[in-house]
Amino acid sequence: MPRKPNTEARRAEIVQALQSVMATQGYEKATIQAIAKAAGLAPGLLHYHFKSKQEILVSLVTTLADFGQRRFEQIVGSADDPMQRLSAYLEARLELGEGAAPEVVAAWVMIGAEAVRQAEVREVYQRAIANELDLLADLLAACMQRQQRATGSARELAAGLLALMEGAFLLASAAGAVMPVGYASQAALRYAVLSMETAPPG
Amino acid sequence: MPRKPNTEARRAEIVQALQSVMATQGYEKATIQAIAKAAGLAPGLLHYHFKSKQEILVSLVTTLADFGQRRFEQIVGSADDPMQRLSAYLEARLELGEGAAPEVVAAWVMIGAEAVRQAEVREVYQRAIANELDLLADLLAACMQRQQRATGSARELAAGLLALMEGAFLLASAAGAVMPVGYASQAALRYAVLSMETAPPG
Amino acid sequence: MPRKPNTEARRAEIVQALQSVMATQGYEKATIQAIAKAAGLAPGLLHYHFKSKQEILVSLVTTLADFGQRRFEQIVGSADDPMQRLSAYLEARLELGEGAAPEVVAAWVMIGAEAVRQAEVREVYQRAIANELDLLADLLAACMQRQQRATGSARELAAGLLALMEGAFLLASAAGAVMPVGYASQAALRYAVLSMETAPPG
Amino acid sequence: MPRKPNTEARRAEIVQALQSVMATQGYEKATIQAIAKAAGLAPGLLHYHFKSKQEILVSLVTTLADFGQRRFEQIVGSADDPMQRLSAYLEARLELGEGAAPEVVAAWVMIGAEAVRQAEVREVYQRAIANELDLLADLLAACMQRQQRATGSARELAAGLLALMEGAFLLASAAGAVMPVGYASQAALRYAVLSMETAPPG
DNA sequence: AATGAATGAGTGTTCATTCAT
DNA sequence: GATGAATGAACACTCATTCAT
């Protein structure tokens, strides 16, 4: 009587454990032993389900990216007015960075640092960033169109918005104590609204 | 006849070498051997001049922070008009993130990630961030005062500006290939100018 | 209704798979997983049919030795004249070493190396070698008797012949590229014929 | 005051220790720990002097090959008559296989097995074999020339002689107990002498 | 000040073996 | 009989740190 495969569930547990450990220890110090312990599994099992530690990391990046995508759709899909959609998204996203899900945020920051030095990680990270950029640009373009403005600068505005968000995540994780409380979502919204207002009519 | 004490020079060389290696390898992979090689020194010498590897890192953080401070003063000190000062600073700072000094930028990003997990690094990193925040707030306040506006929101505006800058550094290092060219300095200036314009008269 | 006991068939499949993997990977790198994959079986099944990995190896050694024995009888049994029998055997055996069955030959070479360090393997390996030595000695003795020579040196001549053959197998597997083509069977036959001619009349 | 390099001496010690351990344990079971223990060194030191375990092995192969070369020249260089040279060489070489230097012989056999599966080892092993083949062919050709025979078959004869020798090494290591005593050098000499006698006049 | 060999704990990874199903 | 997940001890290799010179 064969044992039924549970690989997918185990993989998810392991990826989750990596996120958890990475948030406080970084990738290098997130040892296989530490991940296994966090997941309540035997160390050897991690290499049964993943070929390498890097594969766990890549899996985490795509998981978080997918999670972001779904979250985007959830938040934004519930509203009609483009401006409401933008505002809802920025608030939801940046409240995360300021306390609601610090583990996810810190893990994401660590992933950014790993992307600098691991080509394979960089690849999936860049895909996620490019995707987020597209989503933001669409969101902004919709607002601008409603305001009867040219949408040509939407992508560049979106880039600034994304930088502001990612920077807020980094600072929340690494220097949260010295930053003003709740500045980020307001700054993002302000940047978006005012920037769009300066776009020429289209 | 005493030997010439060249400790300070050696320390600077070593710190510089750490920055160089860290930019591409990260902190953990910046091994003592690799740093020594980059500095053209014998490995054993590093522990003669520094108690530990972490001490080199802390030294690098303060060096970069001081460098940023001096650069701030240089750039900004040469102008009279507050708005010109602000504009000059943002451009100088963000052009760095987009190609001019990628090594410094990448090393700084890595330091941010290390600050998340090493308390001692976090301490000096936060000090540097707090300092930059103060400088930016002062710069903005001066502009706002000239515009006869209330300066009460200067610090919060500065926080958003700092987040945008740090985010731009991170994205330049980790996902430069997928970001629009030259978006950052424009976004920062736009954010600063427009934000200040919405501040109430004071 | 009892299940069909297919243990013997399964064991043979597994032993065959070990031979196949061992030929290119050696014994240590012939992992249970790799053997299972080569056999198209689940890894756990191997330890159902064999107590340990070494038991599979021992089984392979005896299988190959038996195979050699049967092959000997087949080849040699079909001829009448002792000299023809000898010649047929050497050709058949050494053509193997030079391309016809490189997998079997390489596996046999690996087994020789394992025999050096595993007592249990050495035991069965030595039995196989001793047996081959006996067979060869008989073959030579028959030739010598026909030539009316003393057969006292048959065993020693056989030992040289066996060494030549085993050496040819080793060199075919490890350095086939640098050896002359088809030298082995000729060398063996030459050695045998000429050696016997120098034996004193008996 | 700098410490003076002792790398070459240490490397030789380590290579020697690998030979020693490999003779009884094989390459895979010759763990870094075991080699270090045999050399009386700390395990970490082995990777200070060698990049990898395989590099130690490659170093051993070339060391043994060089040793064989020098030994060849020593043995053979001391005699004038080609036949005496050949005879001296075969005796010296094969006595080794039968007791005088079992460690070297067993290590060499293990190396042959590793050459089957490691391309880099195979390369240096083949070079050593090719070299030995050349030397033997030269030795045989000199004898044949003295006997006023055609030397065209010298290389093929040498190949058989080499196979006989390598086979004798293998059997001495893996099945010494069942082989006749002292058969090898006689068989080799007999093979060489008789084979040459059948070569056509040249 | 400077060198580079030496140490040993720790890393990711492999793997024979076991076992619940 | 058969499956494939699970275990844990081993492995090669890395590395900050120490130290004799």
Side-chain angles (χ1 to χ4, degrees):
Chain A
M1 208 164 1
R3 171 177 273 220
K4 73 177 67 159
N6 63 345
T7 292
E8 276 316 312
R10 278 279 181 263
R11 281 177 66 101
E13 287 172 31
I14 292 166
V15 165
Q16 193 59 32
L18 172 60
Q19 171 190 294
S20 182
V21 178
M22 228 181 142
T24 58
Q25 312 293 341
Y27 178 69
E28 293 293 334
K29 294 291 183 187
T31 66
I32 292 289
Q33 294 266 350
I35 302 168
K37 191 171 180 181
L41 301 173
L45 194 54
L46 273 64
H47 279 91
Y48 180 80
H49 291 294
F50 289 92
K51 201 183 61 189
S52 68
K53 187 183 161 188
Q54 184 182 266
E55 197 187 284
I56 311 180
L57 177 58
V58 168
S59 190
L60 173 60
V61 180
T62 53
T63 298
L64 287 182
D66 287 359
F67 176 65
Q69 170 89 23
R70 274 198 307 280
R71 189 180 41 201
F72 184 94
E73 283 158 6
Q74 274 180 10
I75 295 169
V76 155
S78 61
D80 259 5
D81 179 57
M83 203 58 214
Q84 277 179 352
R85 288 156 58 102
L86 175 62
S87 152
Y89 179 70
L90 293 180
E91 274 173 34
R93 199 89 168 80
L94 282 163
E95 273 161 13
L96 286 181
E98 294 173 295
E103 186 184 291
V104 177
V105 168
W108 184 251
V109 168
M110 298 301 193
I111 286 168
E114 283 305 308
V116 177
R117 46 177 236 78
Q118 292 193 49
E120 202 168 342
V121 175
R122 184 161 56 246
E123 211 176 313
V124 289
Y125 180 79
Q126 286 189 345
R127 228 172 357 242
I129 290 295
N131 203 31
E132 185 90 8
L133 196 54
D134 289 345
L135 296 174
L136 279 174
D138 286 352
L139 213 45
L140 291 176
C143 290
M144 293 165 89
Q145 201 154 29
R146 177 70 60 99
Q147 297 169 9
Q148 305 197 331
R149 297 179 190 282
T151 59
S153 60
R155 191 173 184 79
E156 213 181 324
L157 297 186
L161 198 48
L162 187 54
L164 201 161
M165 290 169 65
E166 295 291 333
F169 295 157
L170 168 57
L171 291 173
S173 301
V178 301
M179 299 301 289
V181 176
Y183 75 95
S185 57
Q186 299 215 17
L189 194 55
R190 194 188 309 126
Y191 166 81
V193 169
L194 298 177
S195 296
M196 289 191 292
E197 285 176 2
T198 64
Chain B
M1 195 161 55
R3 286 165 180 268
K4 177 170 57 172
N6 59 354
T7 294
E8 276 315 312
R10 280 276 183 264
R11 283 177 64 103
E13 287 171 30
I14 292 166
V15 166
Q16 190 60 30
L18 172 60
Q19 170 191 293
S20 182
V21 178
M22 229 182 142
T24 58
Q25 312 292 344
Y27 176 67
E28 294 292 335
K29 295 289 183 188
T31 68
I32 292 289
Q33 296 270 349
I35 301 167
K37 191 173 180 182
L41 301 173
L45 199 53
L46 273 65
H47 277 87
Y48 180 83
H49 291 295
F50 290 92
K51 198 184 61 193
S52 68
K53 186 182 160 188
Q54 185 182 262
E55 200 186 280
I56 312 178
L57 176 59
V58 168
S59 188
L60 172 59
V61 181
T62 54
T63 297
L64 286 182
D66 287 357
F67 175 65
Q69 171 90 24
R70 275 197 307 280
R71 188 180 40 201
F72 184 94
E73 285 157 6
Q74 274 180 11
I75 296 169
V76 156
S78 60
D80 261 4
D81 178 59
M83 203 58 215
Q84 278 178 352
R85 288 156 56 101
L86 175 63
S87 154
Y89 178 69
L90 292 181
E91 274 173 34
R93 198 88 167 81
L94 282 163
E95 272 161 15
L96 286 181
E98 294 173 296
E103 185 183 292
V104 178
V105 168
W108 184 251
V109 168
M110 298 300 193
I111 286 168
E114 283 305 307
V116 178
R117 48 176 232 78
Q118 291 195 50
E120 203 167 341
V121 176
R122 184 162 55 245
E123 212 175 313
V124 288
Y125 180 79
Q126 287 189 344
R127 213 150 36 222
I129 290 295
N131 202 31
E132 184 91 9
L133 196 53
D134 289 346
L135 297 174
L136 278 174
D138 286 352
L139 211 45
L140 290 176
C143 290
M144 293 164 88
Q145 204 151 28
R146 176 69 61 98
Q147 296 168 9
Q148 304 197 332
R149 298 178 190 282
T151 60
S153 60
R155 192 174 183 77
E156 213 182 323
L157 297 185
L161 199 47
L162 187 55
L164 201 161
M165 290 168 63
E166 295 291 333
F169 294 157
L170 168 58
L171 292 173
S173 301
V178 301
M179 300 301 290
V181 175
Y183 75 95
S185 58
Q186 299 215 17
L189 193 57
R190 195 188 309 127
Y191 166 82
V193 169
L194 298 177
S195 296
M196 290 191 294
E197 285 176 2
T198 65
Chain C
M1 198 162 56
R3 287 164 180 270
K4 178 169 54 171
N6 58 354
T7 293
E8 276 315 313
R10 280 276 183 265
R11 283 178 64 102
E13 287 171 29
I14 292 166
V15 166
Q16 189 61 30
L18 172 61
Q19 171 191 295
S20 181
V21 177
M22 228 181 141
T24 59
Q25 313 291 342
Y27 176 68
E28 294 292 334
K29 294 289 182 188
T31 68
I32 292 288
Q33 297 270 348
I35 302 168
K37 192 172 180 182
L41 301 173
L45 199 54
L46 272 64
H47 275 88
Y48 181 84
H49 291 296
F50 289 91
K51 198 183 61 193
S52 68
K53 187 182 160 187
Q54 184 182 264
E55 199 186 281
I56 312 179
L57 177 58
V58 169
S59 189
L60 172 59
V61 181
T62 53
T63 298
L64 286 181
D66 286 359
F67 175 66
Q69 170 88 25
R70 274 198 308 280
R71 189 179 40 202
F72 184 94
E73 283 158 5
Q74 274 179 11
I75 296 169
V76 155
S78 61
D80 259 4
D81 179 59
M83 204 57 216
Q84 278 178 352
R85 287 157 57 105
L86 175 63
S87 153
Y89 179 71
L90 293 180
E91 275 173 34
R93 198 89 167 81
L94 283 163
E95 272 161 14
L96 286 181
E98 295 173 293
E103 187 184 292
V104 177
V105 168
W108 184 250
V109 167
M110 298 300 194
I111 286 168
E114 284 304 307
V116 177
R117 48 176 233 75
Q118 292 194 49
E120 203 166 342
V121 175
R122 185 162 55 245
E123 211 175 312
V124 288
Y125 180 78
Q126 287 189 344
R127 218 158 22 227
I129 290 295
N131 202 31
E132 184 92 8
L133 196 53
D134 288 347
L135 297 174
L136 279 174
D138 285 353
L139 213 44
L140 291 175
C143 289
M144 294 164 88
Q145 203 153 29
R146 176 70 60 101
Q147 296 169 9
Q148 305 197 333
R149 297 178 191 281
T151 59
S153 59
R155 191 174 184 79
E156 213 182 325
L157 296 186
L161 198 48
L162 186 54
L164 201 162
M165 290 168 65
E166 296 291 331
F169 294 158
L170 168 58
L171 291 173
S173 301
V178 301
M179 300 300 289
V181 176
Y183 75 95
S185 58
Q186 300 215 16
L189 193 57
R190 194 188 309 124
Y191 167 81
V193 170
L194 297 177
S195 296
M196 290 189 295
E197 285 177 1
T198 65
Chain D
M1 206 166 358
R3 172 178 274 222
K4 74 177 68 160
N6 64 345
T7 293
E8 277 315 313
R10 279 277 181 264
R11 281 177 67 102
E13 287 172 30
I14 292 165
V15 166
Q16 193 59 32
L18 172 61
Q19 171 191 295
S20 181
V21 177
M22 228 182 143
T24 59
Q25 312 292 341
Y27 178 68
E28 294 292 336
K29 295 291 183 187
T31 67
I32 293 289
Q33 295 266 350
I35 301 168
K37 192 172 180 184
L41 302 173
L45 194 55
L46 273 63
H47 279 93
Y48 180 80
H49 291 294
F50 289 92
K51 201 182 62 192
S52 67
K53 187 182 160 187
Q54 184 182 263
E55 196 186 286
I56 311 179
L57 177 58
V58 168
S59 189
L60 173 59
V61 180
T62 53
T63 298
L64 287 182
D66 285 359
F67 175 65
Q69 171 89 24
R70 275 198 307 280
R71 189 181 40 202
F72 183 95
E73 283 157 5
Q74 274 180 9
I75 295 169
V76 155
S78 60
D80 258 4
D81 179 59
M83 203 59 214
Q84 277 178 355
R85 287 154 59 102
L86 174 64
S87 152
Y89 178 69
L90 293 180
E91 273 172 35
R93 198 90 166 80
L94 284 162
E95 271 161 14
L96 287 181
E98 296 173 295
E103 186 184 290
V104 177
V105 168
W108 184 250
V109 167
M110 298 301 194
I111 286 168
E114 283 306 307
V116 177
R117 46 177 232 79
Q118 292 194 48
E120 203 168 341
V121 175
R122 184 162 54 246
E123 211 175 314
V124 287
Y125 179 78
Q126 286 189 345
R127 219 159 19 229
I129 290 295
N131 204 31
E132 184 90 10
L133 196 53
D134 288 346
L135 297 175
L136 279 174
D138 285 353
L139 214 44
L140 291 175
C143 290
M144 293 164 89
Q145 203 153 28
R146 176 69 61 99
Q147 296 169 9
Q148 305 197 333
R149 298 178 189 280
T151 59
S153 59
R155 195 176 180 76
E156 214 182 322
L157 297 186
L161 198 48
L162 187 54
L164 201 162
M165 290 168 65
E166 296 291 332
F169 295 158
L170 168 58
L171 291 173
S173 300
V178 301
M179 301 300 289
V181 176
Y183 75 96
S185 58
Q186 299 217 14
L189 194 55
R190 193 187 310 126
Y191 166 82
V193 169
L194 297 177
S195 296
M196 290 191 294
E197 285 176 1
T198 65

